[in-house]
Amino acid sequence: MSHVVGGGTVSVSGNRPGKRLGVKKYEEEVVKAGNIIVKQRGSIYHPGKNTYMSKDYSIHAKTAGTVSFRRMSGFKRGKYYVDVIESK
């Protein structure tokens, strides 16, 4: 006999699909206006030049160009910014 109550099974096992978050376009990769560069939960990466953040914290390109990542030093130390450098 068991000494512990509740040795049953779980109907929902917790196998859920991933949310496909992360960096979608990497450094020096060419993007068009409106392309998603980063999908994230919360603002880990911040929008920089020629980028904007949507309401689900995804960062998109405003203009066509190449992707650039930078890390601020000084007052905003440690923050990561995503830029799009316009192609000429």
Side-chain angles (χ1 to χ4, degrees):
M1 291 190 50
S2 176
H3 296 285
V4 181
V5 179
T9 61
V10 179
S11 61
V12 180
S13 63
N15 269 346
R16 294 183 183 155
K19 299 301 179 193
R20 276 70 172 174
L21 301 175
V23 178
K24 304 300 178 187
K25 301 287 183 180
Y26 292 95
E27 184 89 22
E28 297 182 7
E29 203 166 331
V30 178
V31 292
K32 296 179 183 175
N35 277 132
I36 296 173
I37 301 170
V38 179
K39 287 195 69 89
Q40 59 187 352
R41 294 288 174 260
S43 55
I44 291 105
Y45 293 95
H46 299 276
K49 298 170 187 163
N50 298 320
T51 59
Y52 64 95
M53 187 181 287
S54 62
K55 66 179 184 178
D56 68 342
Y57 296 101
S58 298
I59 296 180
H60 299 262
K62 273 187 189 175
T63 60
T66 58
V67 177
S68 172
F69 291 89
R70 63 186 162 97
R71 189 170 182 182
M72 290 296 283
S73 61
F75 178 68
K76 296 182 179 182
R77 189 174 331 138
K79 285 193 177 181
Y80 291 98
Y81 285 88
V82 181
D83 301 321
V84 172
I85 299 160
E86 292 185 63
S87 52
K88 296 179 182 178

